[in-house]
Amino acid sequence: MASLHDFVNLDLSDTTEKIIAEYIWVGGSGMDMRSKARTLPGPVTDPSELPKWNYDGSSTNQAPGDDSEVILYPRAIFKDPFRKGNNILVICDSYTPAGEPIPTNKRAKAAEIFSNPDVEAEEPWFGIEQEYTLLTMSKWPLGWPENGYPGPQGPYYCGNGADKAFGRDIVDAHYKACLYAGINISGINGEVMPGQSMRGDGGIDVINAAIEKLEARHTEHIAAYGEGNERRLTGNHETASINQFTWGVANRGASVRIGRDTEKQGKGYFEDRRPASNMDPYVVTSMIAETTILPAA
């Protein structure tokens, strides 16, 4: 008798050309993910080949009940590491039936900024360190003593061993799933690397000018850099104060850090250490590009 595992791992390509496309979008809170699947007649290689789709926005806190239809626009395709085969994950953003981006669609504004010729000419690169915490079913951090706290930091950073690297199997599975899907992931301990025109000779001058622009809009950036950031950016534990902009070379306690290699070579990248792990990448990356590249409004 076949088991549930057998059905979950059925290879559809053995019997049909049809594929499953999982449409994914950001929900009403700005942090929750929503998705639903549809059957397509055959493999798809470009988002333009995909149909738009609607959903009930009143059930996701994105539309009123008397006018609840919201339209999904397919924007990017990734291989599905769960269903495998020719099945795909489809990243979408959300619009009204009239074609206007709904308020929670932050991608639309980001696309406008990144399509600006001045921004395109600089080819900005971003590397986002997406931190997360694994929780048990009782909502307690994985590896912490029951109703207690672990020892001080030190042995856990880039640590190895069952008593230090908790949930390593989950982390590794996530890493491999991202690579399978075609997501450009640098590693499982990456760094934030926003950079503009900075990678060429003399780029350190461009970096310094960009940091000055970021300092001038510090309050505005902090407001968009994630919820609860005031609890993280205290000025302690290798963080800068949320109320003061600072920068330095190899200084993990600064708002913006320049690496030693960048200082030595006179070009490279810098790290904005202020965004929280719950930040919206569309909002933050486009704001950095707008501030450091485009003329002030």
Side-chain angles (χ1 to χ4, degrees):
M1 180 179 293
S3 67
L4 177 61
H5 180 271
D6 294 325
F7 288 111
V8 168
N9 289 281
L10 279 177
D11 187 353
L12 298 180
S13 62
D14 289 341
T15 59
T16 180
E17 291 186 355
K18 294 179 180 179
I19 68 164
I20 301 173
E22 189 78 20
Y23 280 47
I24 303 169
W25 70 97
V26 178
S29 72
M31 289 187 284
D32 61 311
M33 302 300 295
R34 307 283 180 143
S35 72
K36 61 177 183 174
R38 70 183 299 164
T39 305
L40 298 176
V44 175
T45 59
D46 190 270
S48 63
E49 302 173 36
L50 292 167
K52 296 174 184 176
W53 203 5
N54 65 70
Y55 68 91
D56 173 20
S58 66
S59 297
T60 62
N61 295 315
Q62 292 174 295
D66 60 353
D67 188 16
S68 66
E69 188 168 288
V70 180
I71 311 300
L72 292 171
Y73 285 39
R75 297 301 189 185
I77 291 175
F78 295 93
K79 293 173 61 179
D80 189 336
F82 307 104
R83 297 185 175 111
K84 301 180 181 177
N86 291 320
N87 303 301
I88 56 175
L89 305 177
V90 183
I91 305 302
C92 307
D93 57 355
S94 304
Y95 294 78
T96 68
E100 296 296 324
I102 65 174
T104 53
N105 180 357
K106 306 302 182 184
R107 181 193 179 280
K109 177 63 176 178
E112 179 182 332
I113 291 173
F114 284 116
S115 63
N116 184 294
D118 291 337
V119 176
E120 286 186 333
E122 298 297 341
E123 297 184 31
W125 291 359
F126 294 89
I128 299 172
E129 183 180 17
Q130 184 59 65
E131 297 182 347
Y132 57 89
T133 300
L134 298 174
L135 302 178
T136 65
M137 292 299 293
S138 59
K139 306 299 183 183
W140 198 246
L142 187 66
W144 284 30
E146 190 72 24
N147 299 318
Y149 298 92
Q153 66 174 2
Y156 310 111
Y157 172 71
C158 295
N160 288 282
D163 61 338
K164 301 180 184 67
F166 305 108
R168 183 62 180 263
D169 54 343
I170 301 174
V171 173
D172 202 47
H174 168 252
Y175 189 10
K176 290 179 178 178
C178 288
L179 291 174
Y180 176 93
I183 296 173
N184 189 19
I185 183 171
S186 301
I188 54 174
N189 190 41
E191 288 191 340
V192 184
M193 300 185 296
Q196 295 81 36
S197 126
M198 301 170 183
R199 302 179 294 272
D201 291 339
I204 192 68
D205 294 330
V206 181
I207 290 174
N208 290 334
I211 291 175
E212 289 182 6
K213 294 177 181 178
L214 289 172
E215 181 176 15
R217 295 184 66 189
H218 175 66
T219 301
E220 186 178 349
H221 276 248
I222 285 294
Y225 272 14
E227 296 182 11
N229 228 354
E230 70 281 354
R231 299 194 299 271
R232 184 178 71 92
L233 297 179
T234 62
N236 300 315
H237 309 296
E238 297 183 334
T239 69
S241 168
I242 196 171
N243 298 312
Q244 182 180 7
F245 182 93
T246 58
W247 71 275
V249 176
N251 183 359
R252 292 176 59 82
S255 306
V256 170
R257 181 180 72 91
I258 295 176
R260 287 291 184 194
D261 284 345
T262 298
E263 179 191 42
K264 181 178 179 180
Q265 297 175 13
K267 58 183 178 181
Y269 68 91
F270 69 83
E271 177 186 359
D272 190 339
R273 297 180 56 79
R274 297 170 296 170
S277 61
N278 62 10
M279 63 88 174
D280 186 320
Y282 290 130
V283 172
V284 173
T285 57
S286 61
M287 179 175 273
I288 292 174
E290 182 180 41
T291 297
T292 59
I293 298 175
L294 298 180

